[in-house]
Amino acid sequence: MSMYALQVIGGQEVEIMQKLRRKGVDARCPQECRIYTLFPSYLFVSTPDVYRIYYAVRNEEGVLHWLGASKGTPEPLSEREEANILWLAGDGPMPPSEAELQEDGTLDFTSGPLAHLKELLEKVNRHDRRATVKVPIGGEDKTITLSYRLNGKQETANSAAAGTPRSGKAADIF
């Protein structure tokens, strides 16, 4: 048996693979479940008494400093910042957000972190199905990138997220 490659519309690889499989085609779409740190170089610790753990944390190899008004001086996050961190951290890696394509071509994030952080949305990369948001941490905005999946109406070749389709059937090779 030989394997062949098909080029398909970007962002629709999984949907097209599923359609081909329903037709009996042994189609494959190599993927990777990416687990990445949303806030590189930052950890968040909770404690009722910061002085009780200050030295244990400060002396740990790899810890650079506490965030605060003056470098190295612990300062608690605001209630909103803390709520965002607790929600984003959850019990482990979060699944991608869900989005629906609206009639006007915009995306509506219906679940997941992007739905929760809509007001902080900065940029959407439809090709990679990722969006960036600016989340305040210690009084400074930190940009994080979150993934999303498209539900409902799928983006078509005429949408802003894809190129112009070829005339005829691109996959008609027989």
Side-chain angles (χ1 to χ4, degrees):
M1 183 180 306
S2 299
M3 183 172 280
Y4 302 88
L6 298 174
Q7 185 172 8
V8 299
I9 296 172
Q12 294 187 17
E13 297 87 356
V14 173
E15 293 87 357
I16 294 170
M17 176 192 66
Q18 291 169 342
K19 288 178 186 176
L20 292 175
R21 283 183 173 179
R22 283 192 293 271
K23 293 181 177 184
V25 176
D26 183 16
R28 297 166 192 264
C29 181
Q31 295 179 302
E32 173 183 47
C33 182
R34 294 180 183 228
I35 297 178
Y36 56 91
T37 302
L38 294 179
F39 297 94
S41 301
Y42 292 92
L43 289 180
F44 302 91
V45 296
S46 297
T47 181
D49 183 9
V50 71
Y51 298 107
R52 187 176 61 77
I53 66 165
Y54 178 85
Y55 291 103
V57 170
R58 190 182 92 174
N59 292 329
E60 184 62 37
E61 186 175 330
V63 172
L64 301 177
H65 59 83
W66 292 85
L67 259 61
S70 58
K71 190 174 181 177
T73 304
E75 186 175 318
L77 300 178
S78 72
E79 287 181 21
R80 182 175 183 217
E81 292 170 338
E82 181 178 345
N84 282 336
I85 293 302
L86 290 172
W87 192 83
L88 286 167
D91 292 328
M94 300 183 81
S97 295
E98 302 286 333
E100 291 183 6
L101 184 62
Q102 302 300 300
E103 293 286 329
D104 64 0
T106 61
L107 292 175
D108 179 30
F109 295 103
T110 56
S111 69
L114 290 169
H116 178 74
L117 301 169
K118 280 182 189 179
E119 72 279 1
L120 304 174
L121 188 65
E122 287 288 308
K123 182 174 71 171
V124 175
N125 180 331
R126 287 187 177 192
H127 179 73
D128 291 336
R129 301 271 167 94
R130 288 189 167 67
T132 57
V133 294
K134 286 200 175 190
V135 180
I137 299 296
E140 293 182 17
D141 286 342
K142 304 292 182 192
T143 301
I144 62 171
T145 302
L146 298 163
S147 300
Y148 71 90
R149 286 188 285 231
L150 194 59
N151 286 337
K153 298 176 188 175
Q154 298 298 309
E155 294 175 286
T156 65
N158 293 327
S159 76
T164 305
R166 298 182 206 186
S167 59
K169 294 182 179 177
D172 190 5
I173 59 173
F174 299 109

